[in-house]
Amino acid sequence: MKASFFVSLPYGRVRESTGRWPVPNRLFEPDQAVQVVSSRMDHVQLADELGFDWIGCAEHHYSPGSLASNVSAVAAAITQRAQRARICIMGALLPLNNPVRVAEEYALVDVMSGGRLVAGLLRGAPYEYLVYSVPPAESRSRFEEAWELVARAWSDTEPFGWEGEHYHYRYVSIWPRPIQSPLPPIFISGSSRESAEFAVRRRIGLGLAFTNLAAAKPAADYFFQQADASGWKPAPDQVIYGHLPVYLADTDEQARALARPRVEVSHLATGMLRANRLVAEAGFFGPRNPELLQRFQTMGTHAPLSLEQQLELGMLLCGSAETVLEQLRHIRLELGAGVISLNFETGADQVATEAMMRRFARDVLPAMHEL
Amino acid sequence: MTRTVDLPGEFRIEYREVGQGQPLVYFHGAGGVFRNAAFMPALGRSYRVLAPSRPGYDGSTGTCATSREEAEVMASFIRKTVDGPVHLVAESAGGAAGCWLAVLEPGLVSSLVLVAPGAFAGASHAPAPATAEAMEQRLFGLQPAWTEAPTEADRAARQRNASSNAPRLRSAHGNADLLERLHEIAAPTLVLWGTADEVVPPEAGQVFVQRIPDSYRILIYGAAHSLPVSACPQFVALVTDFIERGDGFVVAERA
């Protein structure tokens, strides 16, 4: 089992809590942003030195939750600090972006990293569709067409044009092409049946993020069923689960004491909950996934789950090294996941975060690799 | 309307003609000329469209051993019916004859559109369809553009054309002679392919833009092999845009 260190670039504390989304950027303070970005790139270098297998990043918009509005820029920065680990972009939000531009930027990251790109191409969370005014009901068809276009741009070696439902180009001939041939490893997000079917048709990996074991298990099971029916056996590295907060201590009690005040609160502002609901109700999930629609319609209406409930649902890693390894073993058994995306951004200061990374690398990572 | 024309060498060519304007000649694929294909009247709104059945297909007589010989007969057809340069659209099994015509008779071809030409492609790796309906879907996609639904007689004619002519569509050395002469094509050339083509894979289109000097290639997303039927609106729009705008074809008119 592999460990992917997730760099989320959180802005941190905002001087005024508005509850709104988008969060007004009059609250943005440049010095804080510069410090955040600088410290997270230090984490990247440390993760690489400590032996984490992958380093991951993801695109988000209009909120201090993440400053990674251009994930390719973040990945390019990672290439300059991580000399060994694979760089996993999870991912650009394909329907929101120019797909040829995404193909170009990812290819450049692959070159800058010497062929270490893992290419996640995602649809994104519902609220992101308010950022560039993309109709949510077109998300699926835009994603599938854009995916085909990106894969073609990476693999075709003569100029071509594209006439599609959503995209029209007379010339595509990207420079550079990716180093990895014929294609870099590719993932898509896989909470819906359509995603699993698409991944199996294209023989690509599945990413299960911002979910829990109860929701992810049916999705993973469906993915493996579809793969089996088509005569394909995905490799363990082709299922990623995350991004799991990590609370590791000498004892389970110490770890739970660290985690409880941080996880038993809601981190989603009412404005973002509303944005998610509005987009979900505008057809983002399509007619085949009523359970996903309901999840976003009711999100935030219940009290936050207790730490014990979240542990039961596999939403974080928490405990002693032995306990965390048992939690990882359980995830492997339930989902067949071979890569776990780990989030060390638990609200602690930089010294404590780095100490947690070192502890994980020392006490968990070697045995995790054997799972 | 369907007409015939007699040519030297005992060839009688049957052809369909529709519309008025600059002459546009369409070379059919292995199934022959489809009487009910909607792209014909659609192109006929802008062009005088002539769709000859090549020797050995439908009501055309005579036989040709190679695509080059087919092209020579078709050159006679164009001289007899148009007597001047034409816009040439050559599809699938007609692609090699279209390329040969552009090589041998550059004065007769003012522009060339190649539609999933099978001239140099190997056999498809996709498993053979189990049913006639599945084969039809492989060729024409899920939303074929017909003026009226094909009848059993239409299907039988298509099958007869394909089975009786397919074995001799290639010269013994796999059109290697044509491959070596593609660079002689002087006409501006547009190569069209569907991304869902399971008969001739889209990758087979690369060689045409590698070798034809003034050429462009457009992939039509999700379209099956026979683009005039499987992606009729896009096919007609692209062909018309390419003919009308010339070099300016590459400049976007919409986002």
Side-chain angles (χ1 to χ4, degrees), chain A residues 152 156 158 161 163 170, chain B residues 206 210 217 219 221 241 249:
Chain A
R152 177 68 58 179
D156 206 305
E158 293 292 331
E163 190 67 26
R170 288 294 195 248
Chain B
Q206 295 186 7
Q210 275 173 9
R217 181 171 55 130
L219 303 176
Y221 170 64
D241 196 28
F249 162 81

Side-chain angles (χ1 to χ4, degrees), chain B residues 216-227:
Chain B
Y216 309 87
R217 181 171 55 130
I218 303 281
L219 303 176
I220 300 181
Y221 170 64
H225 177 65
S226 182
L227 296 174

Side-chain angles (χ1 to χ4, degrees), chain A residues 285 289-299:
Chain A
F285 291 111
N289 302 285
E291 72 285 359
L292 293 173
L293 170 61
Q294 186 184 30
R295 185 175 160 210
F296 278 86
Q297 283 178 315
T298 59
M299 194 175 280

Side-chain angles (χ1 to χ4, degrees), chain B residues 7-9 11 13 27 54-55 61-77 96-101 104-105 168-171 175 177-178:
Chain B
L7 303 175
F11 290 104
I13 298 299
F27 284 1
R54 297 193 304 282
T61 62
T63 54
C64 296
T66 65
S67 298
R68 177 175 178 148
E69 288 180 28
E70 281 188 342
E72 289 165 348
V73 175
M74 288 297 101
S76 297
F77 168 81
C99 290
W100 271 120
L101 184 61
L104 299 172
E105 301 278 359
R168 62 169 180 76
L169 286 175
R170 291 183 180 183
S171 57
N175 282 319
D177 46 351
L178 175 60

Side-chain angles (χ1 to χ4, degrees), chain B residues 121-186:
Chain B
S124 168
H125 295 297
T131 64
E133 290 74 19
M135 186 64 208
E136 204 150 296
Q137 186 174 317
R138 178 176 287 190
L139 289 169
F140 307 124
L142 293 170
Q143 295 181 304
W146 304 113
T147 55
E148 58 183 89
T151 64
E152 285 309 311
D154 292 327
R155 293 191 173 97
R158 191 175 76 231
Q159 184 58 39
R160 191 167 53 247
N161 278 324
S163 58
S164 61
N165 291 286
R168 62 169 180 76
L169 286 175
R170 291 183 180 183
S171 57
H173 45 297
N175 282 319
D177 46 351
L178 175 60
L179 188 63
E180 295 306 313
R181 299 190 64 179
L182 279 182
H183 69 278
E184 296 178 36
I185 294 178

Side-chain angles (χ1 to χ4, degrees), chain A residues 254-268:
Chain A
Q254 289 171 343
R256 291 186 184 211
L258 274 176
R260 195 177 302 281
R262 293 175 184 151
V263 304
E264 290 187 342
V265 293
S266 173
H267 297 288
L268 292 173

Side-chain angles (χ1 to χ4, degrees), chain A residues 235-253:
Chain A
D237 284 7
Q238 289 185 293
V239 177
I240 304 177
Y241 179 64
H243 317 289
L244 301 183
V246 178
Y247 297 92
L248 182 63
D250 288 336
T251 67
D252 290 353
E253 291 69 28

